[in-house]
DNA sequence: ACCTCTATGTATAAACC
DNA sequence: TGGTTTATACATAGAGG
């Protein structure tokens, strides 16, 4: 476009590169907006100029929302791919993985026959149900896993507390045994590191249960 | 461009909207690529079709890098704004978008007007979108919450370990001080309650990161 | 639904200010 | 550096297969 045909390579002249950048940036933004409006889709565009300045366009109120959506999208894909390719390790030393094979197979099949467009209403409804089921299962497993992790952590913490108390008692006994003898540095350590720590996790757990 | 001038509003005819989408998506991608190459800048473009499919272009090897860069950029801006304003509390590192009042209000409204039966297709689709958005946000928040909880637990646990070690050392010192004097019940307690405990939580965290 | 064709609207390179 | 002009390349709407 313009007087001359353009080579698809970096413009070496700094000035005209800058000029072109400015012009084309505007054009791109405009077209992005048009696509979003005309076709009623979400579009996000971000451009970092070589001097680090950011230019962005987003059809949603905040580009953050689209990024969030993107993040989730990608994460879901990664999750699917990971569980699809032979439950990659992340089980090592883990509470019973509850990983039955059913869902993966379904997802696999689903991903393979990607021609969703060609399904009819009934088939789509069926597919929707299946996917919904898988999603529920996945979410449930995730929650379960996290809960187990939290519980394990809590138990270990209780053990630690118990042991600590024991040691302290032992020490106290020792001290009173020799109390007339000499007096060491008896600076306390009596204070709990966090007095509400015991309450924290149950609260968290409960809150999370109510979240879903 | 084309036979007729185009109105800047949603194309109502579904077929031509779809066709336009396909054409313009290609054009936009091409122009994004051109901008990136010609002007030697980083460009990221993502498009969500109304059926949830994602189309993306990125000049960097991974769009993730650009997202990372974007995140940092935004965080810096927020930091700047925070120190500029009266530290409005964006909840440290949390995307501000999740903090809007929207979801609860929407759910409230939704629950109040329960006569779903009387909604038409368009309204229902809109509702579906909104609910989907809320669901995503909720899931994200839940994960975040759990991660924070785990982190807190881990930190506390480290504190406990540290304190325990301290007490034990103190005790050892005491013991050697009076060693000729008398011998108490010096049964060990030396064994770690769980030798792999230190490794456990990082593993858990990592696993969970991969889960989503 | 997808390709081709083509008339026409747009974007923009280069030139000038 | 930034706006205006102009010639030209490009993108694409609409039609037809």
């Amino acid at each position: 476009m313009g007087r001359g045909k353009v080579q698809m390579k970096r413009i070496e002249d700094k000035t005209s590169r800058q000029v072109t950048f400015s012009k084309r940036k505007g054009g791109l933004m405009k077209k992005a907006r048009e696509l979003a409006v005309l076709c009623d889709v979400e579009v996000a565009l971000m451009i970092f100029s070589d001097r680090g300045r950011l230019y962005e366009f987003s059809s949603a109120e905040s580009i953050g929302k689209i990024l969030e959506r993107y993040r989730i999208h990608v994460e879901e894909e990664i999750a699917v791919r990971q569980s699809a390719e032979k439950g990659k390790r992340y089980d090592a030393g883990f509470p019973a993985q509850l990983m039955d094979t059913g869902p993966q197979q379904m997802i696999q099949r689903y991903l393979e026959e990607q021609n969703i467009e060609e399904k009819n209403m009934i088939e789509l409804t069926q597919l929707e149900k299946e996917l919904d089921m898988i999603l529920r299962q996945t979410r449930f497993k995730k929650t379960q896993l996290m809960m187990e992790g939290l519980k394990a952590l809590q138990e270990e913490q209780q053990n630690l507390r118990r042991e600590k108390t024991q040691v302290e008692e032992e020490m106290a006994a020792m001290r009173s045994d020799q109390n007339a003898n000499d007096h060491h540095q008896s600076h306390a350590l009596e204070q709990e590191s966090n007095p509400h720590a015991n309450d924290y996790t149950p609260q968290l757990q409960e809150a999370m249960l109510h979240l879903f």
Side-chain angles (χ1 to χ4, degrees), chain A:
Chain A
M1 328 140 181
R3 301 284 176 110
K5 187 164 178 171
V6 73
Q7 295 295 317
M8 261 303 279
K9 63 173 193 182
R10 175 192 150 104
I11 297 169
E12 289 305 335
D13 178 55
K14 195 180 162 189
T15 305
S16 60
R17 190 170 68 242
Q18 171 57 37
V19 172
T20 294
F21 175 69
S22 185
K23 285 183 180 179
R24 279 182 176 258
K25 171 166 62 60
L28 196 58
M29 295 266 193
K30 186 178 174 190
K31 279 201 175 289
R33 174 157 34 264
E34 287 177 357
L35 181 62
V37 171
L38 290 174
C39 304
D40 195 24
V41 295
E42 273 181 42
V43 176
L45 171 65
M46 59 200 94
I47 304 170
F48 289 94
S49 76
D50 45 3
R51 282 200 288 292
R53 181 123 183 61
L54 168 66
Y55 304 88
E56 61 179 284
F57 162 75
S58 164
S59 59
E61 52 284 46
S62 81
I63 204 171
K65 281 207 171 139
I66 290 189
L67 287 192
E68 189 46 35
R69 191 170 168 187
Y70 178 83
R71 216 181 50 73
I72 289 167
H73 188 99
V74 169
E75 281 169 356
E76 277 170 3
E77 268 198 356
I78 287 176
V80 168
R81 226 177 298 137
Q82 275 193 344
S83 48
E85 63 172 72
K86 275 303 183 186
K88 261 257 173 142
R89 182 195 321 101
Y90 72 66
D91 349 283
F94 241 34
Q97 261 299 302
L98 333 156
M99 287 294 191
D100 59 88
T101 52
Q104 279 99 329
Q105 286 178 356
M106 264 199 281
I107 292 174
Q108 196 85 40
R109 259 197 299 123
Y110 163 67
L111 287 177
E112 277 164 12
E113 339 163 335
Q114 266 200 344
N115 33 350
I116 305 177
E117 334 288 315
E118 293 176 3
K119 292 186 181 299
N120 64 29
M121 213 39 198
I122 296 177
E123 289 173 323
L124 277 178
T125 305
Q126 184 52 31
L127 182 60
E128 190 188 356
K129 265 189 199 161
E130 287 176 355
L131 286 174
D132 190 56
M133 188 94 69
I134 296 170
L135 182 58
R136 284 169 195 282
Q137 288 180 6
T138 307
R139 256 182 274 162
F140 181 68
K141 280 183 191 169
K142 174 187 162 195
T143 303
Q144 197 115 7
L145 256 183
M146 282 183 144
M147 291 303 235
E148 280 172 352
L150 279 171
K151 219 170 108 189
L153 274 173
Q154 270 186 292
E155 278 170 7
E156 215 204 318
Q157 206 159 71
Q158 281 197 331
N159 282 342
L160 271 172
R161 270 187 225 289
R162 213 186 342 267
E163 284 175 13
K164 189 184 154 200
T165 310
Q166 241 178 58
V167 180
E168 276 170 348
E169 279 172 2
E170 215 173 329
M171 194 158 100
M174 236 173 171
R175 224 183 246 123
S176 62
D177 248 7
Q178 61 161 172
N179 64 350
N181 225 341
D182 77 63
H183 44 84
H184 264 298
Q185 354 80 318
S186 56
H187 60 276
L189 278 181
E190 308 303 350
Q191 26 78 27
E192 273 292 314
S193 64
N194 183 352
H196 293 293
N198 274 321
D199 309 338
Y200 181 66
T201 25
Q203 250 180 34
L204 180 68
Q205 275 197 345
E206 222 218 327
M208 282 183 310
L209 278 173
H210 285 304
L211 262 183
F212 262 62

